[in-house]
Amino acid sequence: MAPSLSKANSGMSDVSDHAYNPSFISLEGSNFMANGHVILSDVPSNIVATPSSFTAIAITDKPTASPGCFVGFEALKPNSRHVMPVGELKDIPFMSIFRFKVWWTTHWVGRNGGDLEHETQIMMLDRSDSGRPYVLLLPLVEGPFRASLQPGQDDNIDVCVESGSTKVLGQSFRASLYMQAGEDPFGLVKEAMKVIRAHLGTFRLLEEKAPPPIVDKFGWCTWDAFYLTVHPQGVWEGVKGLVEGGCPPGLVLIDDGWQSICHDEDPITDQEGMNRTSAGEQMPCRLIKFEENYKFREYESPKKMGPGLVSDVKPKKGMGAFVRDLKEEFKTVEHVYVWHAFCGYWGGLKPNIDGLPEAEVVKPKLSPGLEMTMEDLAVDKIVNNGVGLVPPELAHQLYEGLHSHLESVGIDGVKVDVIHLLEMLCEEYGGRVDLAKAYYKAISASVRKHFKGNGVIASMEHCNDFMFLGTEAICLGRVGDDFWCTDPSGDPNGTFWLQGCHMVHCAYNSLWMGNFIHPDWDMFQSTHPCAEFHAASRAISGGPIYVSDSVGKHNFELLKSMVLPDGSILRCEYYALPTRDCLFVDPLHDGKTMLKIWNLNKFTGVLGAFNCQGGGWSRETRRNQCFSQYSKVVTCMASPRDIEWKNGNQPFPLDGVEVFAMYLAKAKKLALLKPTHALEISLEPFNFELITVSPVMTLPEKSIQFAPIGLVKMLNSGGALKSLELDDEDNVVRIGVKGEGEMRVFASEKPRTCRINGKDVEFEYDEQMIVVRVPWPGSSNLSLVEYLF
């Protein structure tokens, strides 16, 4: 039967029933067709296609994609894992997202079914000039089974469905894969996710949720600064140094190293395992109490107690006293988060410990698909030592115990790491889907109770189980592998090529994950050789910006190009995505493709060009590695058309716009381009250019052309523009500006006067740009800049 849509399970107003619409996708004989074009051939006779009974209504009045179809199959006998060909893919370019590690996914391209990678989570076929549309293939969750795509024989695309438990069997499947076609690749993905939201009813889309306020604050994470040796005095000194340098953090994230843990063979002492500080040495450890370890427990507030000072009812010692003192001393610090693993710690909970829920050490088992992923220290340690797993019916006790304590000591949220672990532990617990549902239900309830419903950063979560089952409440998550200062495998060139990999992970993963969670591009270090490369991408990512600088080691000039004096940032209105011409090409190791990403501010678009060539996934070695032969100067074209003006949160108004002002941040040049024209950009390896793209408007009485650019010392210049008014009668343009520094706009004529907050100010007019200097207003208020013609 076709899936049904009811108001009860959808909760969405923008999904409509279209039961009688013909599907763009059809199974005709042994071919899957899209708009009359063969996309998959030699489809086996046991494949079943069911037209979707509903489609998503796009943001615009017309959907950009027609209804899709659900694909399933009949197997010969029941089993816990089936691998079934769904048809041969021949010579059609595709892009895909696959799991290269247990926890992380990345971009991959090819032309034939045999080019596909194992554990593919989403796949899109390119359109053709002859009328073939874009086609999305999305493996799903069906009952207790979860699906992925992988290469088959003779260029078949195989769908792999698995329960994760030999005790959970299935034979008949009807909706393990969803296929949909459309003319706009970005709208296609959005609308397909709305369909699946209605079909499954197990998650909420990002547009239905509000990300936590940390996305608008500059942050500092302790990980690369301390690793496991993090301690209160170090955190204090780290925050103090950033404040004194003029970049006060609004978020402090205390990463791994604060919890009470031990190895199985260790006696439980007051040191709680924290002598284990070598890389990976903590991963076999298990949690032994919910409370913080001795380093934070023994913190004593230096503040005096008594009337008018610190209340006697406030904690004088421990994590609660430290968090209180930190926030009181450094007023910009509004949010303190801490790290914890999804199962409590890397090795779960130590069994038979008073005060902790019941737990049993379970030996993880990798599926055949995971066996194809890159070797990983964390996986090896966990597999060798097992995980102290709380049974699913008691998962609520794990999160309630941990989160209630954290809330009581003033912690505002948590970074939840090592999320995609349950699929390796589910043999005795009803399979991967049922175990995941129990855990995600428990953590969602706890986050609602203790962290305002959204105080979570999800990490190591790159798998469709999480997206389809774990995002009912969670709405902020990492979209790339870790920022690696150096290559953990020892390649000295990894200091550079790994940074390009990271950027590609984040950009392409966001096309998929951004429908569920607000993309977080991870921390970086402002003193790293590629720091500016990272900073540019973070500044236009639309996500939070936080660094993991060592104490006292900062590049404040770089930081101040992202961070305002009040600790806020100039965040884009949407999340960054690859440009349309980058979707089906390889920006890591083809030696010619530039990574281009686009985003939208309130009144401008922004385009980033990044030369990431030089390293990436190797099918032969099954790992990321250096490809230095491709690290060379790369050239691309940059056009106003690269901005997806209609694909943000709201369509960008462009009625009557015939020219765009394009300002190149590094080159410090302005170009005026028609929508169909383009600039040529050439970049050395691991270099970038950021381009503010501003629609040119006209003051009709004097035919003056005008386009705002923004604060050009900030990496996201256009993000400073918060209000814009064209007064046609008085020939005045008024702009509300957030921040300080050099403000530029394009104007076809020199103005009579410029004013800031009602006072005339000096200005320059050079190469059709008006330049004024906006002072910091002393608060987070906007400055009103007026241009009088």
Side-chain angles (χ1 to χ4, degrees):
M1 293 179 62
S4 63
L5 171 66
S6 68
K7 292 181 180 179
N9 72 8
S10 77
M12 298 183 66
S13 60
D14 56 351
V15 176
S16 301
D17 199 325
H18 289 271
Y20 301 105
N21 270 6
S23 174
F24 234 72
I25 302 284
S26 59
L27 178 56
E28 301 179 17
S30 62
N31 294 323
F32 269 113
M33 310 287 289
N35 197 23
H37 295 259
V38 175
I39 52 174
L40 298 178
S41 59
D42 290 331
V43 177
S45 59
N46 66 333
I47 296 296
V48 181
T50 308
S52 171
S53 61
F54 46 85
T55 186
I57 299 301
I59 292 175
T60 53
D61 292 335
K62 286 185 175 181
T64 60
S66 294
C69 71
F70 292 93
V71 177
F73 60 89
E74 290 287 338
L76 294 176
K77 61 181 180 179
N79 210 330
S80 61
R81 184 175 186 269
H82 299 276
V83 177
M84 195 64 60
V86 294
E88 295 177 8
L89 177 69
K90 298 284 192 180
D91 201 30
I92 298 177
F94 72 81
M95 68 147 291
S96 63
I97 303 293
F98 80 100
R99 290 165 81 186
F100 71 96
K101 289 185 180 179
V102 168
W103 335 99
W104 307 115
T105 58
T106 194
H107 176 243
W108 191 250
V109 296
R111 300 187 69 91
N112 301 297
D115 298 331
L116 202 61
E117 275 290 353
H118 288 76
E119 279 291 327
T120 290
Q121 311 292 296
I122 183 173
M123 180 181 187
M124 188 187 297
L125 310 185
D126 197 3
R127 64 183 298 279
S128 71
D129 294 337
S130 61
R132 186 187 67 238
Y134 296 104
V135 178
L136 185 72
L137 290 82
L138 188 66
L140 303 174
V141 169
E142 182 177 7
F145 285 77
R146 164 267 184 188
S148 63
L149 300 177
Q150 63 185 50
Q153 294 183 346
D154 301 321
D155 282 324
N156 267 287
I157 294 176
D158 287 356
V159 61
C160 173
V161 297
E162 51 195 343
S163 70
S165 171
T166 58
K167 300 178 180 180
V168 179
L169 311 179
Q171 183 175 6
S172 181
F173 300 88
R174 289 297 178 269
S176 296
L177 177 67
Y178 180 67
M179 296 172 64
Q180 186 166 317
E183 298 301 325
D184 174 356
F186 302 98
L188 172 59
V189 175
K190 271 188 178 181
E191 291 169 16
M193 294 305 176
K194 290 181 179 180
V195 170
I196 303 310
R197 158 75 171 90
H199 166 65
L200 291 176
T202 53
F203 64 92
R204 290 193 301 158
L205 295 165
L206 176 61
E207 64 189 45
E208 302 175 81
K209 301 174 287 192
I214 64 171
V215 298
D216 290 308
K217 301 293 183 180
F218 172 57
W220 177 59
C221 175
T222 64
W223 181 241
D224 290 312
F226 296 102
Y227 299 114
L228 297 164
T229 65
V230 62
H231 55 94
Q233 186 61 32
V235 176
W236 188 280
E237 292 299 325
V239 175
K240 182 172 180 284
L242 287 166
V243 171
E244 291 176 347
C247 295
L251 164 70
V252 174
L253 172 53
I254 302 173
D255 214 295
D256 194 0
W258 70 271
Q259 289 178 287
S260 300
I261 60 173
C262 77
H263 279 206
D264 288 342
E265 66 271 20
D266 291 345
I268 297 178
T269 68
D270 59 1
Q271 295 298 293
E272 296 145 337
M274 290 316 299
N275 58 332
R276 306 281 189 172
T277 57
S278 299
E281 198 177 11
Q282 84 281 18
M283 291 171 181
C285 288
R286 310 193 201 282
L287 196 69
I288 56 174
K289 64 175 74 168
F290 290 132
E291 294 75 26
E292 60 273 17
N293 61 40
Y294 75 96
K295 293 181 297 182
F296 288 87
R297 189 174 62 248
E298 293 178 1
Y299 171 84
E300 292 191 24
S301 175
K303 298 192 175 186
K304 295 181 179 179
M305 307 293 166
L309 300 172
V310 178
S311 168
D312 286 340
V313 300
K314 291 186 177 180
K316 306 175 183 66
K317 191 174 181 180
M319 180 73 90
F322 175 67
V323 172
R324 181 202 65 226
D325 288 353
L326 194 68
K327 290 181 177 179
E328 288 182 354
E329 181 69 20
F330 305 108
K331 300 300 183 185
T332 62
V333 178
E334 299 177 8
H335 311 280
V336 178
Y337 277 40
V338 297
W339 177 100
H340 75 75
F342 190 56
C343 291
Y345 199 68
W346 291 94
L349 271 58
K350 189 175 177 68
N352 305 313
I353 298 292
D354 291 341
L356 294 183
E358 166 192 332
E360 179 182 353
V361 175
V362 178
K363 186 171 180 57
K365 182 181 179 182
L366 271 64
S367 68
L370 292 188
E371 293 281 3
M372 299 294 292
T373 59
M374 179 174 167
E375 185 175 340
D376 187 290
L377 175 65
V379 175
D380 294 344
K381 294 283 187 180
I382 289 170
V383 169
N384 289 338
N385 294 277
V387 176
L389 184 70
V390 174
E393 65 273 15
L394 300 180
H396 64 283
Q397 294 183 11
L398 166 63
Y399 298 120
E400 174 63 24
L402 187 54
H403 293 168
S404 62
H405 171 69
L406 291 173
E407 183 189 25
S408 75
V409 296
I411 297 299
D412 304 286
V414 286
K415 174 184 174 182
V416 182
D417 217 347
V418 206
I419 286 181
H420 231 277
L421 187 62
L422 297 180
E423 66 180 287
M424 297 186 273
L425 308 172
C426 61
E427 171 66 25
E428 301 297 328
Y429 297 99
R432 61 191 293 166
V433 172
D434 283 358
L435 182 59
K437 283 182 175 179
Y439 264 75
Y440 290 133
K441 180 180 179 181
I443 198 169
S444 296
S446 184
V447 167
R448 284 199 183 90
K449 182 176 179 180
H450 299 294
F451 301 129
K452 300 181 179 179
N454 63 1
V456 181
I457 304 171
S459 183
M460 300 173 72
E461 83 287 15
H462 293 188
C463 190
N464 53 4
D465 304 53
F466 171 79
M467 302 300 159
F468 293 140
L469 304 175
T471 57
E472 201 273 333
I474 295 173
C475 55
L476 176 64
R478 288 266 307 279
V479 289
D481 191 0
D482 294 342
F483 160 71
W484 292 100
C485 306
T486 57
D487 182 9
S489 300
D491 180 357
N493 292 321
T495 301
F496 296 93
W497 65 259
L498 270 169
Q499 317 317 317
C501 288
H502 182 93
M503 207 162 292
V504 166
H505 299 332
C506 294
Y508 289 89
N509 284 337
S510 294
L511 180 65
W512 168 47
M513 299 178 194
N515 294 277
F516 306 92
I517 53 176
H518 196 93
D520 171 359
W521 285 45
D522 197 19
M523 56 201 166
F524 69 100
Q525 288 190 310
S526 70
T527 56
H528 188 273
C530 293
E532 192 179 10
F533 193 64
H534 278 285
S537 69
R538 303 307 193 278
I540 67 170
S541 71
I545 296 174
Y546 53 117
V547 296
S548 54
D549 288 356
S550 297
V551 176
K553 296 181 180 179
H554 312 287
N555 181 342
F556 280 114
E557 182 181 0
L558 179 62
L559 292 177
K560 288 178 182 180
S561 68
M562 300 179 289
V563 185
L564 299 180
D566 63 354
S568 64
I569 62 173
L570 301 178
R571 187 169 65 86
C572 290
E573 299 278 301
Y574 197 54
Y575 52 89
L577 291 171
T579 57
R580 197 172 294 214
D581 60 348
C582 283
L583 292 177
F584 300 94
V585 289
D586 177 6
L588 283 178
H589 38 27
D590 71 0
K592 60 185 180 181
T593 298
M594 188 89 75
L595 172 65
K596 294 190 295 180
I597 59 177
W598 63 272
N599 208 335
L600 295 169
N601 289 306
K602 196 168 185 179
F603 300 105
T604 63
V606 60
L607 181 66
F610 299 86
N611 184 349
C612 300
Q613 293 284 339
W617 179 251
S618 167
R619 299 195 83 180
E620 291 71 33
T621 62
R622 310 304 301 171
R623 60 187 296 269
N624 285 327
Q625 67 179 53
C626 181
F627 287 91
S628 58
Q629 66 269 34
Y630 299 120
S631 188
K632 58 182 72 173
V633 173
V634 172
T635 299
C636 72
M637 305 304 292
S639 167
R641 291 182 301 175
D642 287 327
I643 308 294
E644 297 287 334
W645 300 100
K646 295 182 179 180
N647 277 314
N649 292 323
Q650 298 292 335
F652 200 100
L654 291 177
D655 292 343
V657 175
E658 297 180 355
V659 178
F660 291 83
M662 298 181 66
Y663 182 78
L664 284 68
K666 295 200 77 176
K668 297 182 172 59
K669 292 183 179 179
L670 176 73
L672 299 178
L673 269 72
K674 293 182 178 180
T676 55
H677 292 181
L679 294 170
E680 183 176 281
I681 296 175
S682 295
L683 296 173
E684 295 283 345
F686 311 110
N687 275 261
F688 71 93
E689 182 62 271
L690 294 181
I691 307 170
T692 298
V693 185
S694 185
V696 174
M697 301 163 285
T698 303
L699 285 167
E701 186 174 322
K702 292 191 174 183
S703 298
I704 296 170
Q705 291 185 311
F706 185 94
I709 296 168
L711 295 176
V712 296
K713 299 296 185 183
M714 304 298 291
L715 287 168
N716 183 26
S717 303
L721 310 174
K722 298 303 180 184
S723 66
L724 175 62
E725 177 192 354
L726 271 67
D727 186 333
D728 296 338
E729 292 185 5
D730 295 331
N731 293 306
V732 178
V733 179
R734 300 182 181 93
I735 303 177
V737 178
K738 181 180 181 181
E740 63 177 341
E742 183 180 314
M743 170 79 177
R744 288 182 179 249
V745 300
F746 157 73
S748 59
E749 292 186 17
K750 181 178 179 179
R752 292 186 293 110
T753 306
C754 293
R755 294 174 181 162
I756 296 179
N757 295 329
K759 296 181 180 180
D760 289 1
V761 295
E762 293 182 356
F763 67 91
E764 301 169 24
Y765 185 69
D766 183 42
E767 296 183 346
Q768 294 190 300
M769 286 185 284
I770 307 169
V771 182
V772 298
R773 284 160 182 81
V774 179
W776 178 247
S779 68
S780 301
N781 295 331
L782 302 184
S783 297
L784 180 63
V785 183
E786 296 177 283
Y787 303 88
L788 290 73
F789 295 93

